[in-house]
Amino acid sequence: MLRSVILAASRSSQVERLVATAPYTRDVVRRFVAGAATDDALRATRGLVDDGLAVTLDHLGEDTVTPEQATATRDEYLRLLKMLSGAGLTPAAEVSVKLSALGQMFDEQLAYDNARAICAAADAAGTTVTLDMEDHTTTDSTLEVLGRLRKDFPSTGAVLQAYLRRTESDCRELAYAGSRVRLCKGAYKEPESVAYQSTREVDKSYVRCMNILMSGDGYPMLATHDPRMIAIGEDRARWFDRGPERFEFQMLYGIRPEEQARLAGEGYTVRTYVPYGDEWYGYLMRRLAERPANPGSSSGRARESPKK
Ligand SMILES: Cc1cc2nc3c(=O)[nH]c(=O)nc-3n(C[C@H](O)[C@H](O)[C@H](O)COP(=O)(O)OP(=O)(O)OC[C@H]3O[C@@H](n4cnc5c(N)ncnc54)[C@H](O)[C@@H]3O)c2cc1C
């Protein structure tokens, strides 16, 4: 119930104004977001890479409504990729992109063109792009754009959400050689007609989807903070003989950093998803919806000041 209320608020500009001006907000944002500027993102990335983690960077922003905003987002990614490459941070760091930030809501072709430019820049920088998945009304369009991008940039990553009833079937479709697929539980408020509603059902779906991806020919990216899902992931890696070059764990910046370090210390590939930029509201609200009582609890606390 509380999760639904927070997720509904994540799309309200009135609540956004209230949250943005609340006194404690800055500290909470700092725990989950690397900073506003590209330099902040680079600094956080350097710290994580020095600690043996891989990174995927997300320039915050979604649901763009004008071509100018979409182009500005594209240009920020092009700048970021140049800077990452110049700093020697590729291929350890890649980028995550939301098609809605590139124009998907009003012009799918524009979103594709923008995403294509980002894929080309990532390719030139020696790294990859993953297309974040948003609410279920965008799933078909996002997978369609993914298919087009993969023709020229086969390493473009997909995201599938275990809470959607369709996802087991999507996992089967995408478990082919060279296919990078991030499996997450899903962060949006979705109706019963398309999505499992209970934690138990979502978790069971996550395990079924993980089994398909880990036994398939692609490159699974297990995005979860859930100790049970991580333990099952470790088990499947042993069972299907997948070493650190054949799958990875992914977690969000500021969430369970000790667990990220533990897994990396055990030799797994672990990638931290690092958001940066001014438009933190929707992202932060989704994190609060996942853990309303205490979003910055000790196990979920980021370094107070990210290294360097
Ligand atoms: C790298 C990455 C990329 C993602 N990309 C997308 C995307 O493109 N689209 C999308 O819809 N969603 C995305 N998500 C979000 C995802 O869908 C979930 O909403 C989110 O990860 C929470 O689910 P969970 O698997 O961590 O477990 P949950 O079911 O939220 O929690 C299960 C257990 O995990 C542990 N845990 C969870 N959160 C914390 C915390 N803050 N501190 C300490 N322990 C915690 C607790 O033990 C908890 O009981 C992404 C997540 C990650 C990690």
Side-chain angles (χ1 to χ4, degrees):
M1 169 68 176
L2 185 52
R3 179 173 182 269
S4 301
V5 172
I6 298 174
L7 286 177
S10 75
R11 293 210 148 138
S12 156
S13 50
Q14 264 177 316
V15 181
E16 178 172 355
R17 272 195 298 281
L18 272 177
V19 172
T21 51
Y24 57 84
T25 296
R26 206 141 59 103
D27 286 344
V28 179
V29 172
R30 213 181 300 149
R31 285 184 186 157
F32 293 103
V33 176
T38 322
D39 281 342
D40 297 324
L42 248 73
R43 230 185 335 271
T45 301
R46 170 67 66 202
L48 293 163
V49 169
D50 286 353
D51 284 349
L53 298 162
V55 169
T56 186
L57 280 149
D58 164 39
H59 180 245
L60 289 166
E62 53 203 87
D63 297 348
T64 292
V65 290
T66 68
E68 292 73 25
Q69 284 176 319
T71 308
T73 301
R74 178 200 67 193
D75 291 346
E76 171 57 25
Y77 274 104
L78 300 187
R79 213 163 75 82
L80 171 68
L81 284 159
K82 225 178 224 166
M83 288 170 76
L84 286 171
S85 159
L89 288 168
T90 52
E94 64 139 33
V95 295
S96 282
V97 172
K98 284 187 175 52
L99 288 181
S100 81
L102 298 178
Q104 184 184 35
M105 277 172 68
F106 57 91
D107 185 347
E108 185 181 295
Q109 180 61 35
L110 176 70
Y112 166 77
D113 290 340
N114 285 333
R116 199 177 190 292
I118 296 170
C119 288
D123 196 44
T127 191
T128 49
V129 176
T130 296
L131 298 185
D132 283 346
M133 191 59 87
E134 302 178 68
D135 72 67
H136 82 278
T137 61
T138 67
T139 309
D140 282 329
S141 158
T142 301
L143 292 179
E144 158 82 20
V145 170
L146 174 85
R148 291 173 70 193
L149 291 171
R150 279 188 172 180
K151 288 194 175 119
D152 290 326
F153 305 102
S155 64
T156 307
V159 177
L160 296 176
Q161 298 152 316
Y163 64 12
L164 292 186
R165 297 177 192 276
R166 61 178 284 167
T167 293
E168 257 183 275
S169 152
D170 289 332
C171 283
R172 274 189 206 97
E173 294 264 308
L174 289 179
Y176 57 84
S179 172
R180 298 168 63 245
V181 179
R182 175 193 301 159
L183 178 66
C184 64
K185 290 190 187 177
Y188 298 81
K189 178 169 160 44
E190 300 287 15
E192 229 239 306
S193 52
V194 299
Y196 301 113
Q197 303 292 308
S198 74
T199 306
R200 193 177 140 74
E201 280 180 309
V202 175
D203 288 357
K204 280 166 68 181
S205 170
Y206 193 98
V207 175
R208 289 195 300 272
C209 292
M210 176 162 39
N211 288 341
I212 294 167
L213 295 175
M214 292 293 272
S215 63
D217 293 324
Y219 180 87
M221 306 186 278
L222 304 179
T224 181
H225 313 100
D226 188 331
R228 287 174 60 222
M229 299 303 126
I230 293 168
I232 296 170
E234 291 182 274
D235 177 71
R236 299 304 186 264
R238 280 188 294 275
W239 185 258
F240 294 111
D241 197 22
R242 282 187 178 264
E245 71 297 336
R246 293 188 56 224
F247 89 106
E248 65 189 48
F249 287 110
Q250 297 190 344
M251 293 188 217
L252 301 177
Y253 180 74
I255 300 188
R256 303 199 72 203
E258 304 88 352
E259 178 66 356
Q260 298 185 29
R262 178 192 76 80
L263 288 166
E266 294 200 4
Y268 292 107
T269 301
V270 181
R271 191 177 299 277
T272 307
Y273 182 106
V274 178
Y276 76 99
D278 289 326
E279 296 198 31
W280 45 261
Y281 179 71
Y283 178 84
L284 182 72
M285 293 301 270
R286 288 194 291 277
R287 302 295 76 80
L288 293 180
E290 281 151 17
R291 213 167 166 81
N294 190 5
S297 64
S298 61
S299 58
R301 186 187 294 266
R303 296 181 184 94
E304 282 295 318
S305 47
K307 266 182 81 178
K308 286 159 240 150

